[in-house]
Short mmCIF file of all heavy atoms in Angstrom, two decimals:
data_model
loop_
_atom_site.label_atom_id
_atom_site.label_comp_id
_atom_site.label_asym_id
_atom_site.label_seq_id
_atom_site.Cartn_x
_atom_site.Cartn_y
_atom_site.Cartn_z
N ASP C 155 94.52 77.49 135.24
CA ASP C 155 95.78 78.14 135.58
C ASP C 155 96.22 77.60 136.95
O ASP C 155 95.46 77.69 137.92
CB ASP C 155 95.62 79.67 135.66
CG ASP C 155 96.96 80.37 135.54
OD1 ASP C 155 97.85 80.11 136.39
OD2 ASP C 155 97.12 81.17 134.60
N PRO C 156 97.43 77.03 137.01
CA PRO C 156 97.84 76.40 138.27
C PRO C 156 98.41 77.36 139.32
O PRO C 156 98.74 76.92 140.42
CB PRO C 156 98.93 75.42 137.81
CG PRO C 156 99.49 76.02 136.57
CD PRO C 156 98.40 76.82 135.93
N THR C 157 98.52 78.65 139.00
CA THR C 157 99.18 79.57 139.95
C THR C 157 98.19 79.99 141.04
O THR C 157 97.15 80.60 140.76
CB THR C 157 99.75 80.79 139.19
OG1 THR C 157 100.65 80.31 138.19
CG2 THR C 157 100.49 81.74 140.12
N LEU C 158 98.57 79.66 142.29
CA LEU C 158 97.59 79.78 143.38
C LEU C 158 97.19 81.21 143.73
O LEU C 158 96.04 81.45 144.11
CB LEU C 158 98.13 79.08 144.63
CG LEU C 158 98.19 77.56 144.53
CD1 LEU C 158 98.75 76.96 145.81
CD2 LEU C 158 96.82 76.99 144.23
N VAL C 159 98.11 82.14 143.58
CA VAL C 159 97.71 83.50 143.95
C VAL C 159 96.62 84.00 142.99
O VAL C 159 95.73 84.78 143.38
CB VAL C 159 98.92 84.47 144.01
CG1 VAL C 159 99.54 84.71 142.65
CG2 VAL C 159 98.52 85.80 144.65
N PHE C 160 96.65 83.53 141.74
CA PHE C 160 95.62 83.95 140.78
C PHE C 160 94.27 83.33 141.15
O PHE C 160 93.22 83.97 141.02
CB PHE C 160 96.01 83.58 139.35
CG PHE C 160 97.30 84.22 138.89
CD1 PHE C 160 98.13 83.60 137.98
CD2 PHE C 160 97.68 85.47 139.38
CE1 PHE C 160 99.32 84.19 137.55
CE2 PHE C 160 98.87 86.07 138.97
CZ PHE C 160 99.68 85.42 138.05
N LEU C 161 94.33 82.09 141.63
CA LEU C 161 93.10 81.44 142.11
C LEU C 161 92.50 82.26 143.26
O LEU C 161 91.30 82.54 143.29
CB LEU C 161 93.44 80.02 142.60
CG LEU C 161 92.31 79.26 143.27
CD1 LEU C 161 91.37 78.71 142.21
CD2 LEU C 161 92.84 78.12 144.14
N ALA C 162 93.37 82.66 144.18
CA ALA C 162 92.90 83.42 145.35
C ALA C 162 92.32 84.77 144.90
O ALA C 162 91.27 85.20 145.40
CB ALA C 162 94.05 83.63 146.33
N GLN C 163 92.99 85.42 143.95
CA GLN C 163 92.47 86.72 143.48
C GLN C 163 91.11 86.53 142.82
O GLN C 163 90.16 87.28 143.10
CB GLN C 163 93.45 87.34 142.47
CG GLN C 163 94.73 87.82 143.12
CD GLN C 163 95.77 88.33 142.12
OE1 GLN C 163 95.58 88.28 140.92
NE2 GLN C 163 96.87 88.84 142.64
N TYR C 164 91.00 85.51 141.98
CA TYR C 164 89.75 85.29 141.25
C TYR C 164 88.60 85.03 142.23
O TYR C 164 87.57 85.71 142.18
CB TYR C 164 89.90 84.11 140.28
CG TYR C 164 88.63 83.78 139.53
CD1 TYR C 164 88.19 84.57 138.48
CD2 TYR C 164 87.87 82.66 139.87
CE1 TYR C 164 87.02 84.26 137.79
CE2 TYR C 164 86.70 82.34 139.18
CZ TYR C 164 86.28 83.15 138.15
OH TYR C 164 85.12 82.86 137.48
N TYR C 165 88.80 84.05 143.13
CA TYR C 165 87.68 83.73 144.04
C TYR C 165 87.44 84.84 145.05
O TYR C 165 86.30 85.07 145.46
CB TYR C 165 87.87 82.35 144.67
CG TYR C 165 87.49 81.29 143.65
CD1 TYR C 165 88.44 80.55 142.99
CD2 TYR C 165 86.15 81.14 143.27
CE1 TYR C 165 88.09 79.64 142.01
CE2 TYR C 165 85.80 80.24 142.28
CZ TYR C 165 86.76 79.49 141.66
OH TYR C 165 86.40 78.62 140.67
N GLY C 166 88.51 85.55 145.43
CA GLY C 166 88.32 86.70 146.31
C GLY C 166 87.36 87.71 145.68
O GLY C 166 86.48 88.27 146.34
N LEU C 167 87.52 87.91 144.38
CA LEU C 167 86.69 88.91 143.69
C LEU C 167 85.28 88.41 143.39
O LEU C 167 84.31 89.15 143.54
CB LEU C 167 87.35 89.34 142.38
CG LEU C 167 88.67 90.09 142.46
CD1 LEU C 167 89.14 90.48 141.07
CD2 LEU C 167 88.56 91.33 143.34
N VAL C 168 85.18 87.16 142.93
CA VAL C 168 83.86 86.74 142.40
C VAL C 168 83.01 85.98 143.41
O VAL C 168 81.84 85.69 143.13
CB VAL C 168 83.96 85.90 141.10
CG1 VAL C 168 84.74 86.64 140.03
CG2 VAL C 168 84.53 84.53 141.34
N GLN C 169 83.56 85.68 144.60
CA GLN C 169 82.80 84.81 145.49
C GLN C 169 81.45 85.43 145.90
O GLN C 169 80.51 84.69 146.17
CB GLN C 169 83.61 84.44 146.72
CG GLN C 169 84.00 85.61 147.58
CD GLN C 169 85.02 85.23 148.66
OE1 GLN C 169 85.13 84.08 149.02
NE2 GLN C 169 85.73 86.23 149.16
N CYS C 170 81.37 86.76 145.89
CA CYS C 170 80.08 87.34 146.29
C CYS C 170 79.04 87.20 145.17
O CYS C 170 77.85 87.40 145.42
CB CYS C 170 80.24 88.80 146.72
SG CYS C 170 80.85 89.87 145.44
N ILE C 171 79.49 86.83 143.98
CA ILE C 171 78.53 86.69 142.88
C ILE C 171 78.69 85.37 142.14
O ILE C 171 77.99 85.12 141.18
CB ILE C 171 78.71 87.82 141.83
CG1 ILE C 171 80.19 87.96 141.47
CG2 ILE C 171 78.12 89.13 142.31
CD1 ILE C 171 80.41 88.83 140.26
N ASP C 172 79.61 84.49 142.60
CA ASP C 172 80.01 83.38 141.72
C ASP C 172 78.91 82.36 141.49
O ASP C 172 79.01 81.57 140.57
CB ASP C 172 81.32 82.72 142.16
CG ASP C 172 81.20 81.93 143.44
OD1 ASP C 172 80.16 82.03 144.09
OD2 ASP C 172 82.16 81.21 143.78
N ARG C 173 77.86 82.39 142.30
CA ARG C 173 76.76 81.47 142.00
C ARG C 173 75.99 81.94 140.77
O ARG C 173 75.28 81.19 140.15
CB ARG C 173 75.78 81.39 143.18
CG ARG C 173 76.42 80.93 144.46
CD ARG C 173 76.53 79.41 144.51
NE ARG C 173 77.58 79.03 145.44
CZ ARG C 173 77.99 77.79 145.63
NH1 ARG C 173 77.47 76.80 144.94
NH2 ARG C 173 78.94 77.53 146.49
N ASP C 174 76.12 83.21 140.48
CA ASP C 174 75.36 83.78 139.35
C ASP C 174 76.10 83.68 138.04
O ASP C 174 75.52 83.91 136.99
CB ASP C 174 75.11 85.27 139.57
CG ASP C 174 74.23 85.51 140.76
OD1 ASP C 174 73.51 84.58 141.13
OD2 ASP C 174 74.28 86.62 141.30
N ILE C 175 77.42 83.45 138.10
CA ILE C 175 78.15 83.55 136.84
C ILE C 175 78.54 82.16 136.36
O ILE C 175 78.84 81.29 137.18
CB ILE C 175 79.39 84.46 136.92
CG1 ILE C 175 80.43 83.91 137.88
CG2 ILE C 175 79.01 85.87 137.29
CD1 ILE C 175 81.71 84.70 137.87
#
Side-chain angles (χ1 to χ4, degrees):
D155 199 301
T157 303
L158 290 180
V159 67
F160 299 149
L161 174 78
Q163 290 175 356
Y164 178 75
Y165 282 105
L167 295 182
V168 305
Q169 62 190 338
C170 61
I171 48 168
D172 70 350
R173 301 278 158 186
D174 295 339
I175 64 174

